[in-house]
Amino acid sequence: MADPVADTLEQDPRYAALLRDRARFAWLLSILMFAAFLGYIGLIAFDKAALARPIGGGVTSLGIPAGIGLILFAILLTGFYVWRANRVYDRRMAEILAAHRS
Amino acid sequence: MNPRLLIVLALLVAAPASAAALEGQAERQPINWVAIAMFLAFVTLTLWITRRAAQRTRTASDFYTAGGGISGFQNGLAMAGDYMSAASFLGISAQIFADGYDGLIYSTGFIVGWPILLFLMAEKLRNLGKYTFADVASYRFAQPPVRSFAAASTLLVVCFYLIAQMVGAGQLIKLLFGLPYGYAVIVVGMLMMAYVLFGGMRATTWVQIIKAVMLLSGATFMAVMVLAQFGFSPEALFRRAVEVKTDLALAGGAAPDAAAAKGLSIMAPGNFIKDPVSAISFGLALMLGTAGLPHILMRFFTVPDAQAARKSVLWATTWIGYFYILTFIIGFGAIVLVATNPAYLDGEALRGGGNMAAIHLAHAIGGNAFLGFISAVAFATILAVVAGLTLSAASAVSHDLYATVIKKGAADSADELRVSRITTLALGALAILLGIAFEKQNVAFMVSLAFALAASGNFPVLVMSLLWSGCTTRGAAIGGTIGLLTAFVLTVLSPAIWVNVLGFTAAPFPYSSPAIFSVPAGFLAIWLISLIDTSPRAAIDKAGYPAQRLRAETGIGASGASDH
């Protein structure tokens, strides 16, 4: 299924720039997720007392918003990626491909 | 060893679908007719769906990927259905019931792999693959070595996961339905064979979707009912739970100060993490293993394009995250409503075993009918997970080994379909036999082993073949095998097997998970072997990278939604 677009696409600087931007974005988010998780595990491993500290004068500890927050952060990052991929990268890719097909 | 310690120990090495959480003190319960009626309703519905799916399952593409026509939303639910297991529902809520906060640490580990899977792989997987993740891993390489590695790794991962599921199913059903262990295992094995054999991916997907909807709505109902008792204030719920735990400690003869400290301890991380190396290693295995599980990866080929693949991960992450938050509330609800009611207790322990916390809570909230519903949900959950596992193993044998390695790509669709059905039968029989053989064994390590293997073999091979142009056939096949073996050997040498199963006194490898060593070993081996590989094949492999990248990035030439 050779597409005639394939040959010229590789030469196009806009295509190269798109791939670079997209990869950078994906790695950035991966590193954020990785760091957040390792930070959380690290806190549990090295400083349990920090997470045990109560917040707001009640019994609820800092660990609860931290743990739930990590779960929500994972969902939000995923949502942000999908949103940006749909809005920005897919559109740029479609424009580049259209330019090469015409 | 006291029972609670046993549960905590079992959970230490457990993973989402672990049987560990479900073993220990599974006594047979009186036969629960409401639960059986609910379960029969579920089975009737899914078998009817399977019959309809069977009429539309004619080609290999129907069988492996439901013709590629599943929507992103449906696939997201099915992925969540593949991933959320009975043990994560019962086991995590039971751990929160026992120790409070620690259960949440598991939940976070199980969720963080999903974003990574999306950012680094999801779209490329969909664009390059057709039926199995081996299609992607071997895209530009010599087929036999890489396919053989991928198929062997799939079978290994699936086998360990499957044994844990079957043993868990037997224990759970004995517990919930009052059926003998052997019957329970046979029922699960036969139903799973029926779904996969006749309905292929289409039926499996629907079983997973229905199960996910049942589990999510059941858990939502429980969490809402619990919170409603506290005016929807989590702080009020936590405060009451701390009181209950304090009173329990006082009743146990503790001094008031010690009792108050004990009560408050459920709000903070406890003894779940002993040493930092084990903690980080375990976290790595969960995180990267998710992105290497063959039955999860296979689900990416059921959607029409990369955009839908993306969407399905967003839905899966959302549902799974939501589910874990519910589990947290359910666990605290059990402390408040179950631990204070003598009807659910047997002395100090839970009636029916430590994992019954959520089940008793269901009874406390909705009486016998809701108890029956939740029991049926737990059974359905296991069925959906084993069906997905079996399908991915059958595809590895028929598509990767038979069609590609043995027949060199010349097998026709009907032949390939026949081989996958024979494999499904064989796997079903094997699963039943292994389930029965391992009844009395400690299988707690098996799911965490499956995750560690997937993180150390499949994950590095996929990442390197997708992202590094210098990766070669030898690097992928041998390097992946080295990662896999490192994870396997270190697990055997770890306390979970060396001490608990083999009965030696001290384990040569002291940590609970091998991932912190075996994942880098996999990456390093692939890199080094590719680097020193000067074979003619290596030149072809490297030259194939631009074409692979073009297809991975743009989707040009990706296999279409349906070939009929």
Side-chain angles (χ1 to χ4, degrees):
Chain A
M1 257 189 275
D3 193 299
V5 172
D7 302 324
T8 57
L9 204 56
E10 297 275 15
Q11 320 300 327
D12 188 334
R14 285 177 305 166
Y15 174 72
L18 170 60
L19 294 200
R20 197 180 54 234
D21 291 353
R22 196 159 65 175
R24 209 175 275 167
F25 179 60
W27 278 108
L28 177 74
L29 293 193
S30 304
I31 290 166
L32 276 179
M33 186 74 257
F34 209 71
F37 180 57
L38 279 187
Y40 175 70
I41 294 285
L43 212 53
I44 292 166
F46 295 107
D47 189 7
K48 285 197 180 84
L51 290 176
R53 207 175 303 136
I55 50 167
V59 297
T60 307
S61 65
L62 185 62
I64 289 172
I68 305 273
L70 187 61
I71 294 178
L72 295 179
F73 183 62
I75 298 175
L76 282 178
L77 271 190
T78 313
F80 180 55
Y81 177 88
V82 171
W83 179 79
R84 200 174 156 86
N86 286 340
R87 295 284 300 253
V88 179
Y89 301 121
D90 278 6
R91 197 170 294 169
R92 271 171 72 183
M93 183 64 86
E95 279 168 15
I96 295 170
L97 288 179
H100 282 263
R101 284 205 167 108
S102 60
Chain B
M1 215 188 280
N2 79 46
R4 221 185 79 187
L5 188 63
L6 205 79
I7 301 162
V8 175
L9 270 184
L11 273 165
L12 251 177
V13 279
S18 159
L22 309 172
E23 42 181 313
Q25 325 72 13
E27 314 151 7
R28 252 181 83 180
Q29 297 291 298
I31 292 180
N32 180 342
W33 291 109
V34 184
I36 292 180
M38 298 258 188
F39 178 68
L40 285 180
F42 168 81
V43 169
T44 314
L45 175 68
T46 48
L47 285 178
W48 177 74
I49 288 173
T50 305
R51 225 197 78 172
R52 297 207 38 179
Q55 290 158 356
R56 298 178 57 195
T57 301
R58 285 181 296 265
T59 63
S61 154
D62 293 327
F63 183 82
Y64 295 130
T65 61
I70 307 282
S71 78
F73 174 72
Q74 291 168 336
N75 195 40
L77 261 181
M79 279 176 167
D82 237 347
Y83 200 67
M84 302 180 297
S85 65
S88 57
F89 178 53
L90 300 180
I92 293 182
S93 53
Q95 203 197 9
I96 294 169
F97 177 77
D99 293 317
Y101 188 81
D102 283 358
L104 191 59
I105 305 174
Y106 278 101
S107 306
T108 57
F110 292 131
I111 194 93
V112 291
W114 286 91
I116 303 282
L117 176 56
L118 171 65
F119 304 153
L120 298 183
M121 294 205 273
E123 295 159 53
K124 298 184 177 76
L125 276 173
R126 178 59 195 89
N127 284 339
L128 292 173
K130 197 173 172 201
Y131 299 149
T132 64
F133 91 91
D135 291 338
V136 181
S138 67
Y139 189 80
R140 64 191 155 108
F141 300 135
Q143 295 294 310
V146 182
R147 291 264 179 190
S148 307
F149 159 77
S153 158
T154 298
L155 288 174
L156 216 59
V157 169
V158 166
C159 241
F160 287 115
Y161 216 121
L162 201 58
I163 294 174
Q165 288 292 324
M166 293 305 279
V167 175
Q171 307 280 13
L172 185 70
I173 289 158
K174 188 163 83 174
L175 207 68
L176 298 181
F177 295 87
L179 288 175
Y181 180 91
Y183 285 3
V185 168
I186 291 171
V187 169
V188 171
M190 301 291 268
L191 279 172
M192 163 261 271
M193 272 195 264
Y195 296 147
V196 177
L197 204 55
F198 300 113
M201 181 55 101
R202 201 168 268 125
T204 304
T205 302
W206 281 106
V207 169
Q208 285 163 346
I209 291 176
I210 294 169
K211 161 263 172 107
V213 171
M214 282 169 75
L215 185 59
L216 287 167
S217 39
T220 303
F221 179 72
M222 280 170 92
V224 168
M225 292 303 278
V226 166
L227 282 176
Q229 301 208 359
F230 294 91
F232 293 95
S233 155
E235 165 67 22
L237 168 66
F238 296 146
R239 201 181 311 126
R240 177 78 188 116
V242 170
E243 277 169 31
V244 169
K245 284 284 182 183
T246 309
D247 291 347
L248 283 176
L250 277 175
D257 277 3
K262 176 95 176 69
L264 208 56
S265 75
I266 58 169
M267 301 308 300
N271 296 321
F272 167 58
I273 284 171
K274 286 193 196 67
D275 65 296
V277 176
S278 287
I280 291 165
S281 189
F282 188 65
L284 270 183
L286 293 186
M287 187 169 182
L288 307 179
T290 302
L293 288 176
H295 63 297
I296 298 287
L297 295 173
M298 189 177 183
R299 293 224 56 95
F300 282 104
F301 311 121
T302 64
V303 292
D305 53 31
Q307 236 174 350
R310 233 161 28 211
K311 208 166 141 193
S312 41
V313 184
L314 178 56
W315 278 115
T317 315
T318 307
W319 292 124
I320 295 168
Y322 171 65
F323 171 72
Y324 284 134
I325 294 174
L326 294 178
T327 321
F328 192 63
I329 299 168
I330 290 170
F332 276 95
I335 297 182
V336 170
L337 297 174
V338 174
T340 51
N341 187 340
Y344 302 124
L345 302 174
D346 200 359
E348 260 184 49
L350 275 180
R351 211 155 47 77
N355 293 296
M356 294 291 279
I359 303 287
H360 289 319
L361 181 65
H363 186 262
I365 285 171
N368 249 337
F370 191 58
L371 170 74
F373 177 75
I374 287 295
S375 305
V377 166
F379 199 166
T381 286
I382 293 182
L383 267 177
V385 176
V386 293
L389 285 168
T390 306
L391 186 59
S392 76
S395 316
V397 172
S398 59
H399 182 61
D400 298 331
L401 287 183
Y402 175 78
T404 313
V405 176
I406 297 173
K407 287 278 172 179
K408 312 275 179 231
D412 63 36
S413 169
D415 259 357
E416 206 174 315
L417 206 55
R418 195 169 42 82
V419 173
S420 38
R421 287 191 161 135
I422 295 170
T423 316
T424 305
L425 274 178
L427 278 168
L430 187 72
I432 292 174
L433 286 178
L434 290 175
I436 291 172
F438 280 85
E439 177 182 358
K440 305 263 184 253
Q441 300 296 310
N442 180 353
V443 294
F445 63 89
M446 284 191 184
V447 173
S448 65
L449 175 58
F451 268 76
L453 290 176
S456 318
N458 297 351
F459 180 74
V461 168
L462 272 176
V463 168
M464 295 298 256
S465 70
L466 284 176
L467 302 177
W468 184 41
S469 58
C471 186
T472 70
T473 300
R474 263 184 217 169
I478 303 174
T481 310
I482 289 175
L484 206 63
L485 285 178
T486 311
F488 186 79
V489 170
L490 289 181
T491 305
V492 171
L493 296 178
S494 77
I497 297 190
W498 199 254
V499 179
N500 297 358
V501 177
L502 299 176
F504 295 100
T505 46
F509 180 73
Y511 307 114
S512 57
S513 169
I516 201 169
F517 303 102
S518 58
V519 174
F523 274 106
L524 206 67
I526 297 171
W527 179 70
L528 267 182
I529 295 169
S530 299
L531 214 59
I532 56 168
D533 185 0
T534 51
S535 62
R537 179 67 225 185
I540 304 175
D541 296 336
K542 288 173 192 163
Y545 187 72
Q548 174 193 306
R549 190 169 82 147
L550 187 86
R551 176 162 157 181
E553 299 283 358
T554 63
I556 293 172
S559 60
S562 188
D563 46 22
H564 55 80

